[in-house]
PDB file of all heavy atoms in Angstrom:
ATOM      1  N   GLN A  12     105.570 216.071 -41.938  1.00  0.00           N
ATOM      2  CA  GLN A  12     105.734 214.708 -41.435  1.00  0.00           C
ATOM      3  C   GLN A  12     106.737 214.757 -40.321  1.00  0.00           C
ATOM      4  O   GLN A  12     107.835 215.283 -40.443  1.00  0.00           O
ATOM      5  CB  GLN A  12     106.147 213.818 -42.526  1.00  0.00           C
ATOM      6  CG  GLN A  12     105.077 213.488 -43.520  1.00  0.00           C
ATOM      7  CD  GLN A  12     105.512 212.492 -44.547  1.00  0.00           C
ATOM      8  OE1 GLN A  12     106.666 212.064 -44.568  1.00  0.00           O
ATOM      9  NE2 GLN A  12     104.595 212.082 -45.391  1.00  0.00           N
ATOM     10  N   ARG A  13     106.421 214.073 -39.212  1.00  0.00           N
ATOM     11  CA  ARG A  13     107.266 214.076 -38.062  1.00  0.00           C
ATOM     12  C   ARG A  13     108.668 213.514 -38.355  1.00  0.00           C
ATOM     13  O   ARG A  13     109.652 214.045 -37.880  1.00  0.00           O
ATOM     14  CB  ARG A  13     106.617 213.217 -36.960  1.00  0.00           C
ATOM     15  CG  ARG A  13     107.256 213.347 -35.640  1.00  0.00           C
ATOM     16  CD  ARG A  13     106.324 212.879 -34.662  1.00  0.00           C
ATOM     17  NE  ARG A  13     106.568 211.498 -34.292  1.00  0.00           N
ATOM     18  CZ  ARG A  13     106.044 210.920 -33.279  1.00  0.00           C
ATOM     19  NH1 ARG A  13     105.146 211.528 -32.512  1.00  0.00           N
ATOM     20  NH2 ARG A  13     106.317 209.701 -32.953  1.00  0.00           N
ATOM     21  N   SER A  14     108.762 212.514 -39.199  1.00  0.00           N
ATOM     22  CA  SER A  14     110.043 211.877 -39.475  1.00  0.00           C
ATOM     23  C   SER A  14     110.984 212.814 -40.238  1.00  0.00           C
ATOM     24  O   SER A  14     112.158 212.618 -40.276  1.00  0.00           O
ATOM     25  CB  SER A  14     109.829 210.619 -40.295  1.00  0.00           C
ATOM     26  OG  SER A  14     109.252 210.894 -41.526  1.00  0.00           O
ATOM     27  N   GLN A  15     110.460 213.864 -40.811  1.00  0.00           N
ATOM     28  CA  GLN A  15     111.249 214.804 -41.602  1.00  0.00           C
ATOM     29  C   GLN A  15     111.694 216.069 -40.862  1.00  0.00           C
ATOM     30  O   GLN A  15     112.445 216.832 -41.292  1.00  0.00           O
ATOM     31  CB  GLN A  15     110.499 215.245 -42.880  1.00  0.00           C
ATOM     32  CG  GLN A  15     110.292 214.101 -43.776  1.00  0.00           C
ATOM     33  CD  GLN A  15     109.457 214.561 -45.018  1.00  0.00           C
ATOM     34  OE1 GLN A  15     108.891 215.609 -45.063  1.00  0.00           O
ATOM     35  NE2 GLN A  15     109.373 213.664 -46.016  1.00  0.00           N
ATOM     36  N   LEU A  16     111.107 216.283 -39.642  1.00  0.00           N
ATOM     37  CA  LEU A  16     111.371 217.470 -38.885  1.00  0.00           C
ATOM     38  C   LEU A  16     112.857 217.724 -38.636  1.00  0.00           C
ATOM     39  O   LEU A  16     113.370 218.821 -38.881  1.00  0.00           O
ATOM     40  CB  LEU A  16     110.609 217.518 -37.612  1.00  0.00           C
ATOM     41  CG  LEU A  16     109.127 217.709 -37.694  1.00  0.00           C
ATOM     42  CD1 LEU A  16     108.422 217.499 -36.377  1.00  0.00           C
ATOM     43  CD2 LEU A  16     108.863 219.044 -38.291  1.00  0.00           C
ATOM     44  N   SER A  17     113.563 216.740 -38.123  1.00  0.00           N
ATOM     45  CA  SER A  17     114.979 216.970 -37.793  1.00  0.00           C
ATOM     46  C   SER A  17     115.808 217.289 -39.044  1.00  0.00           C
ATOM     47  O   SER A  17     116.587 218.186 -39.012  1.00  0.00           O
ATOM     48  CB  SER A  17     115.523 215.686 -37.160  1.00  0.00           C
ATOM     49  OG  SER A  17     114.924 215.515 -35.914  1.00  0.00           O
ATOM     50  N   THR A  18     115.556 216.591 -40.127  1.00  0.00           N
ATOM     51  CA  THR A  18     116.283 216.878 -41.347  1.00  0.00           C
ATOM     52  C   THR A  18     115.905 218.181 -41.965  1.00  0.00           C
ATOM     53  O   THR A  18     116.734 218.975 -42.288  1.00  0.00           O
ATOM     54  CB  THR A  18     116.020 215.707 -42.397  1.00  0.00           C
ATOM     55  OG1 THR A  18     116.332 214.516 -41.769  1.00  0.00           O
ATOM     56  CG2 THR A  18     116.834 215.946 -43.652  1.00  0.00           C
ATOM     57  N   GLN A  19     114.660 218.458 -42.103  1.00  0.00           N
ATOM     58  CA  GLN A  19     114.165 219.666 -42.783  1.00  0.00           C
ATOM     59  C   GLN A  19     114.555 220.919 -42.025  1.00  0.00           C
ATOM     60  O   GLN A  19     114.885 221.919 -42.636  1.00  0.00           O
ATOM     61  CB  GLN A  19     112.631 219.598 -42.946  1.00  0.00           C
ATOM     62  CG  GLN A  19     112.028 220.736 -43.716  1.00  0.00           C
ATOM     63  CD  GLN A  19     110.559 220.498 -43.937  1.00  0.00           C
ATOM     64  OE1 GLN A  19     110.016 219.451 -43.668  1.00  0.00           O
ATOM     65  NE2 GLN A  19     109.909 221.508 -44.479  1.00  0.00           N
ATOM     66  N   TYR A  20     114.471 220.896 -40.693  1.00  0.00           N
ATOM     67  CA  TYR A  20     114.782 222.104 -39.940  1.00  0.00           C
ATOM     68  C   TYR A  20     116.147 222.101 -39.295  1.00  0.00           C
ATOM     69  O   TYR A  20     116.428 222.944 -38.494  1.00  0.00           O
ATOM     70  CB  TYR A  20     113.664 222.355 -38.871  1.00  0.00           C
ATOM     71  CG  TYR A  20     112.388 222.634 -39.474  1.00  0.00           C
ATOM     72  CD1 TYR A  20     111.331 221.693 -39.570  1.00  0.00           C
ATOM     73  CD2 TYR A  20     112.106 223.941 -39.978  1.00  0.00           C
ATOM     74  CE1 TYR A  20     110.160 221.989 -40.192  1.00  0.00           C
ATOM     75  CE2 TYR A  20     110.907 224.257 -40.535  1.00  0.00           C
ATOM     76  CZ  TYR A  20     109.932 223.257 -40.659  1.00  0.00           C
ATOM     77  OH  TYR A  20     108.703 223.553 -41.231  1.00  0.00           O
TER      78      TYR A  20
END
Side-chain angles (χ1 to χ4, degrees):
Q12 288 184 355
R13 191 161 99 168
S14 62
Q15 296 175 349
L16 286 172
S17 294
T18 304
Q19 185 173 351
Y20 292 101

